[in-house]
Amino acid sequence: MATYLEFIQQNEERDGVRFSWNVWPSSRLEATRMVVPLACLLTPLKERLDLPPVQYEPVLCSRPTCKAVLNPLCQVDYRAKLWACNFCFQRNQFPPAYAGISEVNQPAELMPQFSTIEYIVQRGPQTPLVFLYIVDTCLEEEDLQALKESLQMSLSLLPPDALVGLITFGRMVQVHELSCEGISKSYVFRGTKDLTAKQIQDMLGLSRPAVPMQQGRPLQTPEQPVISSRFLQPVHKIDMNLTDLLGELQRDPWPVTQGKRPLRSTGVALSIAVGLLEGTFPNTGARIMLFTGGPPTQGPGMVVGDELKTPIRSWHDIEKDNARFMKKATKHYETLANRSATNGHCIDIYACALDQTGLLEMKCCANLTGGHMVMGDSFNTSLFKQTFQRVFSKGYNGEFRMAFGAHLDVKTSRELKIAGAIGPCISLNAKGPCVSENELGVGGTSQWKICSLDPSTTLAIYFEVVNQHNAPIPQGGRGAVQFVTQYQHSSTQRRIRVTTIARNWADAQTQLQHIEAAFDQEAAAVLMARLGVYRAESEEGPDVLRWLDRQLIRLCQKFGQYNKDDPNSFRLSESFSLYPQFIFHLRRSPFLQVFNNSPDESSYYRHHFARQDLTQSLIMIQPILYAYSFHGPPEPVLLDSSSILPDRILLMDTFFQIVIYLGETIAQWQKAGYQDMPEYENFKHLLQAPLDDAQEILQTRFPMPRYVHTEHGGSQARFLLSKVNPSQTHNNLYAWGQESGAPILTDDVSLQVFMDHLKKLAVSSAS
Amino acid sequence: MSVNQQAHTGPPYGQPQPGYQGYQQPAYGQSLPGAPQAQYGAYNGPMPGYQQPAPPQGYFPSLGFPSKGSPVSLNSDTSSLAPNFIGSLRAPPTSGAPPPASGASHPSGPLAYNQFEHGDVQNGIPASAAPVQRPPASQPFLPGSAPTPVSQISTFQQYGPPPASVQQLRNHMAGMTIGSTAASAPPPAGLGYGVGPSSYPPTTGAPRPPAMPGPPLPGQTVAGPPSSQPNHVSSPPPPSTMAGLHPGPPMSGLHGPPPPTHPPQPGYPMQQNGSFGQIRGPQPNYGGAYPGAPNYGSPPGPPPPPKRLDPDSIPSPQLNELPPQQKPRHRIDPDAIPSPIQVIEDDRNNRGSEPFVTGVRGQVPPLVTTNFLVKDQGNASPRYIRCTSYNIPCTSDMAKQSQVPLAAVIKPLATLPPEETLPYLVDHGESGPVRCNRCKAYMCPFMQFIEGGRRFQCCFCSCVTEVPPHYFQHLDHTGKRVDFYDRPELSLGSYEFLATVDYCKNNKFPSPPAFIFMIDVSYNAVKSGLVRLICEELKSLLDYLPREGNMEESAIRVGFVTYNKVLHFYNVKSSLAQPQMMVVSDVADMFVPLLDGFLVNVNESRTVIASLLDQIPEMFADTRETETVFAPVIQAGLEALKAAECAGKLFIFHTSLPIAEAPGKLKNRDDRKLINTDKEKTLFQPQTSFYNNLAKDCVAQGCCVDLFLFPNQYLDVATLGVVPYQTGGSIFKYAYFQLETDQYRFLNDLRRDVQKDVGFDAVMRVRTSTGIRATDFFGAFYMSNTTDVEMAGLDCDKTITVEFKHDDKLSEDSGALLQCALLYTSCAGQRRLRIHNLSLNCCTQLADLYRNCETDTLINYLAKYAYRGVLSSPVKTVRDALINQCAQILACYRKNCASPSSAGQLILPECMKLLPVYLNCVLKSDVLQPGPEVTTDDRAYIRQLVTSMDVAETNVFFYPRLLPLTKADVDSDSLPAAIRNSEERLSKGDIYLLENGLNIFVWVGVSVQQSLIQNLFGVSSFSQISNALSTLPVLENPFSKKVRSIVDMLQGQRSRYMKLIVVKQEDKLEMLFKHFLVEDKSLTGGASYVDFLCHMHKEIRQLLS
């Protein structure tokens, strides 16, 4: 099995792809019996230090419906200078430039190690990136000040030729003109009125005489820069101007009477931003960055009224159908998100407030466009400040870790069809022969648009095996999938990354053990989780859980070894052994449980879950727990209440939080100040170790996790206690004795109970 | 009051004299009926003053009820006489008539005046010469009349005798001559008259009553008290006769010029007889008695006849043929027809010297052209209210018969000369002003306190209301409250109440108002330099915002907006280093982008504002935007005021037709082909109802809009003006604005407009005595119901004309009362009620009506009525209706008040003798008869302008003032005597000035002395005078100084700065100038005065037959 693990890891490193099954069942019927669908996690821009892009265009299959890219799997007739497409079997002539190829003189794309290859293409003009700030001015003075500073700081992080714009909003929405001298000038819009893109462009004076322009080509007419320049200016030009402007930004001047929320026109502000970019830079990489300090309270997209006595909707309200603005607001933001996505612009949401800010309604803006969603308590926290700074972080080669306007095109060999994708993408509605009728996630297409992505952005792509049972695939046959990702690199180059992978087919009836062995339980857990979360967005929580449970039980039934009706006989092979545990934690995770979470928080968690790569996703599902003690080097320990011991320091990483927990004894020592005594320097080091490790995580993680430092009995210890498996609770405390761990006050079932039930159900002949 | 009075009067009628006597006497003394009397008493108070001057007791009697009756009748007679004939009428006669009046007055002193109403005076006045003769004439009259007539008969008086006055003479004359078309006419007429009279007395027998009742002017009666007794007897008659006579004599006298005067005189007897049988009676007596009379009679006699003959034109009308234009010209001596100049002069001479004391009911005030002081003694000053008639028919039948519109022209916030005191501010405490329980009329001098002062009876609806405890006061023996003189609301005609919170919107005291300046910055505005000019001016002008009383600084806040296709708001908060501009391009759904910092205190934000005003011209210097919006601009201002929760005023400076895509977008629909078609009215109507709705919203918020227009082409004033018009704002229009020539005018208008007194968020209601009711309103306002006139803003120049109709009978005793209450917010944000009260007489005799009319006011009403008519009817229909109504008025007079005479005679009431000439001016005005050079916008502009004009403005607007500058006395302050608006009166060796309230023309004759040209224009010859002058050069010589001081003085008198145009004779601009010579035939087909008079005569005769 080690070989499979290695294989999987290798593949991931090379191609950024993890399949749930690495040997594919060869017929539709068998595939459905596998329970976990054939699917993969794809990280299209996975950082590859060893992958220098090639400077030419890819060679495409000439069949119009195929257009697959020449790849190492293709059969090549070097003499005839022909190649056969491995997807549609079309025979293609090599282009003239390839006249000199031979077995020994192969282009890169034919070499097996280049199953993933990146092309740089010179197509169209290079347009600078656009960053449009939308700033809420209904903030507390300190918050606004902090935000202003962050924004000013960010100017220095932008690529110098990037265009920036500023929109502020409160009761009104102001689009600031950046090129003016003397009087500062802004265009003001009413915060209560939705405007069409055309209206917005007219009102901003952006409409120009109807010059026919090619699609996808930002206009090059000479006056074009002039027109848009009023609102979007190269950073290097108006750096000072904008810094001053931001500095003078005042809180929204409209009076807020007691008992009212400030009137916040987030919906209109966003609409104007979308309209502005739509009119000026369609199909160009652009980030709309929304900074908001509270819920939209008026106009289209309002989430809650301005009466403070009416609280913002909770899950309870939503279940009771009591959230009167939710549907309308969601619709508004969805429309915007779709428009924005269509134009290739992404929307980031930075929401910092103690109460909810309407992320539930606005989530699609970030979800559909690949934008970031950041949630914090205040702009005046390092959580926000550093997260924001990290948006502009640079990769190993000094390039921004962001890319724009990606098209992902998936091609499959004919035994496979594409069921759908889940991730920060929208469908491009490209119907084709390889599109399945059954949808999983965003389906019905073989192409998706990802407006913004970074090296960790990961999509789940689901397939369907369509080969009929009675038309077996010849032994040793391989199925192939090709991912073609075209995108705008942060350097504004257009690039195409092509990943072609192939897996063996196996007959499930005869070769089940191969299939079983090639099961990637981590990928499967994440893929199933994505499906679950995707469903949870639209279905009632209990239904999703039930579905998950049923899938799990069926999987156990299929792959477990047991005697009927004898739970104790139940065994799972190694390649499945962790899977139930993942599902157990998934069931308890905030992605599926809304209890104790606000709708905004749920949306926030789900947002990140739907885009992180496998490792991060797994952390989210099952947080990592490290223990630090004098008994040995730091070690990962079970995420279980039994791991909570008095003489341990625990470091938990849930992706969203980093919790450092001092055991009871440790906490007492610390209080006693031993760490300051030279003779107890080792204690000092012990205290320091988790901090350093945490720092490491903090430094790379995006968004910046909430950093919690607590101790036994501390109120913040709840972050830890809510995550660990409640193996010891007040219910079974005495049964488990005192010697280890800490009891959790909860009625949740523990993993042990869960497993017992699972076994019982799996072996039951009734189900 | 009224109630009581009526009760009383009832009986009096039956037996007039006794009744009256009893009435008055008791009243004064201590009549129980007291209540009413008491009031009278009050009146008397003031009256006495008047009376005192009046020496003759005889008058008093007349003054007494009876006296009134009599005087009135006399007056009426006179007036009726005065009226006169058309073509034939010699000017002299007319003029002659006046003098008598004046003369009479002189002798009798004030009494005469009081008694005789303006009508008389006017009549008298006409004769310029009068003064000389007057004294004698009058003297004799008085004495003579007093004694003799009295004894003789009251009846007589009423009838004709009195009327015989000058005018009659003239009339007669005219009639004579005219009628004479056939030479013989005169005699017969005379005879007829003679006969008539005799017959009359008997027939009318009753007459005396009319006379009696009519007169019962409170004032007079009051005055009369002592004399009242005598009055009863017969005194009344005498006065009347007196009056009548007066006119007569003066006529002659006045006319100084022998010829004219002569005619009248002879006419006199004749005429009197003719027109009024009654007159006859007296006259004979008089004739003997008066020494002067003979003179009069004889001299005038001869001349007139000849002239009359000329008026053949008149006869022609009889033939139903219109006189050929030339003929009339030739035949009718222009000097012979009633002259506005003469009338104005006479009134000025007769009434300019004495203050006009308002204590007396139904007094006709001096003409608007006369400078006089007003003393408020219980009735509102004529500066606030003027009526078409001060004697209202008691019944609607009468009113209908006469066709004389009953209207009041009200200027609630009129500016008073410094010598007169502003209305006092009364505070009735927390419970607010004391009001009648039923009709909600406000406490006023006519309220009758009863039951020892515990209750008061409403003078409008007779409802009895408890006096609130805090307002209680004991009554004195006359039934007057002891604190009568301490309380303006009990002793004055005009005063103000401090309003309580109940009178405020939303039950909140208002915030101080705001001014928002909204400047068009489209290409045209910037290019013409307008934007820069406005910004420069505003910098200094902002220091002169209206202040209340003696407040240190104005409470008014200011805001700024510029606009073209989009709007730019400015944040000028004092804490900013630089103003901030906020562009609102969502013109479809206007809103205000900021609250704090938009409306600011000028002093606090001075530097930011200055910086803004400096930068605006720069910012838009390179604009290429030519399109503008308009409605959103108003909406923006409206929203700003709403947001600030205050009333205010928008000053919009606009240049072009708003064709940019926005609500209220307009299209160019100017189409001159529509003129004279049934669709012509559409030119005056707004294109869309959008602006009406907007105006409604503005009014609701108290958002007044003043519009300054600088068009280079059609911009649809009719539509753009809707909002300013309905919100009580003003429109100023500067066509083809040129910085060099027009800036001074514009800046003056702007300064005045910004600085002038203005009230906001105003509601006006006019309450009247039971019997009449305000039914129709004209002016710049909005009405959401039938009674309340709402104005977002009301400034000191805005006038509202109110028409009254009968809904019941009025009583002569109680007269008719008007109370105009205006609720408004002052410029400091104080909520106030301004009350104006006016008491009018009522009459049962048409003659009384005709004797107490005011033609200027009538024209004001008719013009407004007609100008509104063009919105719904073809212009021709409107013109015909006007002519028809006036013909009916005059025909009714002729039929009912004038003595029988030949049909060929045109007889005009003295008070209305200028009606034809003025009416002709209205008919010829640009709105009703546009010439080719008059644009559609001009017409719409003028139409709206006239609608809020007061009487003085309409007077000079329709009949411009023409002054011979070269005749000016450089050493005195006075203006040269005006001359009539006719080209034939211009001498090519002179320089003239013509003003109509909008323009000043300086006309230079071709052969003016070179030295004069040098002195005035600083150039050496006629040909070097530039047409482009917009001001006269400042030269250091007496003539230049004098002329400039005249111009300055005229400018000072008008609410708008007039455009000065220099016209050289025989230059092309002269066409424009000639347009204003309204007595001439106009190029556009307007009739000359003479022609029109003939036409009217024809119309009248048709009606009579």
Side-chain angles (χ1 to χ4, degrees), chain A residues 172 184-186 188 190 203, chain B residues 581 583 585 589-592:
Chain A
M172 307 283 171
S184 70
K185 201 167 161 186
S186 58
V188 188
R190 189 195 278 269
M203 287 175 192
Chain B
M581 176 199 229
V583 184
S585 28
D589 189 8
M590 194 36 70
F591 64 96
V592 184

Side-chain angles (χ1 to χ4, degrees), chain A residues 56 141 145 147 180 186 195 291 363 540 556 562 604 761:
Chain A
Y56 51 83
E141 198 57 66
Q145 191 54 37
L147 177 57
C180 47
S186 58
L195 299 165
F291 303 88
K363 66 186 174 198
E540 296 271 325
C556 291
Y562 53 88
Y604 174 66
L761 289 167

